Amino acid sequence: GRFECSNPLFNRIDRIIDALERDISPALPPGYARGQLVGVAAMLNNLTVRIEEKCAILGPENEELRLVLSGVVALLDSRPAHRTLRQAIEARLAEQLPEPARENVKLKEGLVEVIEALPELRLAPEKEAEASRLVHRQLRAQLDRDLALRKPTHFGRLAKG
């Protein structure tokens, strides 16, 4: 397979493309059906490139998320709300998942927990500013990466009308 990610969905897409290109397409006579099949295979190949690009950045992105979450935990004190958030985030950080995509989801859920908890934590002003800076920097980096991976496609233009 073409993928670095160990995700069964990626492997299935790879097998579907291979079957379309090697087995099904040659068995069809030239014409509409074969043309449609070639188009589907091309679309899936385009999708695989995007998946590969996303997979390539998951490791570094997960490390960034870990640093942000650890940074926020370091700002917490012993108050009950702080302790509860600390325990929840430390549990997420302690659990290492073998698949980068699943790890990414788990860490992003932790970031959401932090975002939801921050207004209620009543941190000292300098600590609140630091927590907000960590979270905003991470969100900005994530949006920049997502925008860099997004490419205009024929299908996107069709959907817009």
Side-chain angles (χ1 to χ4, degrees):
R2 289 176 267 233
F3 300 107
E4 297 294 321
C5 286
S6 59
N7 186 312
L9 174 63
F10 302 152
N11 295 330
R12 281 190 213 118
I13 292 172
D14 211 19
R15 288 194 306 270
I16 290 169
I17 293 168
D18 288 342
L20 290 173
E21 292 175 342
R22 288 185 308 170
D23 302 328
I24 300 170
S25 181
L28 290 175
Y32 180 77
R34 183 186 271 183
Q36 291 298 309
L37 186 129
V38 168
V40 167
M43 181 184 66
L44 289 173
N45 271 313
N46 184 353
L47 179 62
T48 62
V49 169
R50 291 180 188 192
I51 292 170
E52 286 174 325
E53 290 171 349
K54 181 64 177 174
C55 287
I57 65 171
L58 281 177
E61 185 176 298
N62 288 348
E63 285 308 309
E64 288 176 14
L65 284 162
R66 287 182 166 285
L67 289 172
V68 168
L69 293 173
S70 296
V72 170
V73 165
L75 298 171
L76 302 175
D77 59 36
S78 61
R79 288 180 279 175
H82 291 229
R83 195 170 42 248
T84 300
L85 181 61
R86 176 186 291 108
Q87 290 169 347
I89 298 305
E90 286 176 343
R92 288 186 185 281
L93 293 170
E95 182 186 16
Q96 297 267 346
L97 299 176
E99 294 180 11
R102 290 180 195 260
E103 179 86 357
N104 191 263
V105 169
K106 177 192 70 163
L107 294 170
K108 285 181 179 175
E109 288 171 346
L111 186 62
V112 169
E113 282 181 84
V114 166
I115 291 167
E116 290 176 344
L118 276 177
E120 306 301 321
L121 292 176
R122 293 182 173 75
L123 291 167
E126 66 280 355
K127 287 185 176 187
E128 185 174 346
E130 176 63 11
S132 292
R133 186 187 65 74
L134 288 168
V135 168
H136 286 111
R137 187 178 65 207
Q138 178 60 36
L139 292 174
R140 174 59 192 253
Q142 178 61 51
L143 289 170
D144 287 345
R145 279 190 294 271
D146 290 348
L147 289 171
L149 288 175
R150 185 172 171 80
K151 299 174 187 164
T153 66
H154 174 69
F155 297 106
R157 285 191 301 273
L158 286 177
K160 291 179 185 174

